[in-house]
Amino acid sequence: MATESIDIIQHLLEVENEAAQMQLDAQKQADEKIARVRSESDARYKSECAENARVLESEEKAKIQQINDNHSQQIESFKASLESTPKSPEAFKSTIEKMLFA
């Protein structure tokens, strides 16, 4: 009977050790899967951020170019309007003299 009890206890200890080993293996597999998924997720996040940054930079450059073109067009339009304005040096001189010496 004592031998039978020892055998039962020994068997239970073996089952417990196997269960503990199974639990450790499962934890190791879970940790590896979490690490792999986290790595894939981080890579995807970085890739999407880089793509978004590239798109935004491209849009920014296009907008800057549009603003520069519009600015140049306005400057040229202003220069043309100044050149087409009739000039009267005598009237200008008269107005300045009135303003300064009146």
Side-chain angles (χ1 to χ4, degrees), residues 18-34:
E18 287 177 26
Q21 187 60 45
M22 288 173 62
Q23 188 273 336
L24 287 174
D25 291 344
Q27 184 65 47
K28 182 179 176 183
Q29 289 176 355
D31 290 344
E32 289 171 355
K33 186 174 183 179
I34 289 170

Side-chain angles (χ1 to χ4, degrees), residues 36-65:
R36 186 182 70 249
V37 170
R38 180 175 287 138
S39 175
E40 292 169 358
S41 177
D42 288 347
R44 190 176 333 113
Y45 173 78
K46 288 177 183 178
S47 173
E48 289 177 10
C49 283
E51 177 63 19
N52 288 340
R54 188 190 63 73
V55 167
L56 289 173
E57 286 173 359
S58 175
E59 290 174 358
E60 176 190 28
K61 286 178 183 178
K63 188 66 174 176
I64 288 171
Q65 185 62 44

Side-chain angles (χ1 to χ4, degrees), residues 43-88:
R44 190 176 333 113
Y45 173 78
K46 288 177 183 178
S47 173
E48 289 177 10
C49 283
E51 177 63 19
N52 288 340
R54 188 190 63 73
V55 167
L56 289 173
E57 286 173 359
S58 175
E59 290 174 358
E60 176 190 28
K61 286 178 183 178
K63 188 66 174 176
I64 288 171
Q65 185 62 44
Q66 179 186 11
I67 290 169
N68 287 339
D69 292 346
N70 186 26
H71 180 257
S72 295
Q73 184 182 12
Q74 287 178 349
I75 293 292
E76 292 303 318
S77 175
F78 180 70
K79 285 179 182 179
S81 72
L82 285 178
E83 290 174 2
S84 68
T85 304
K87 294 161 185 68
S88 175

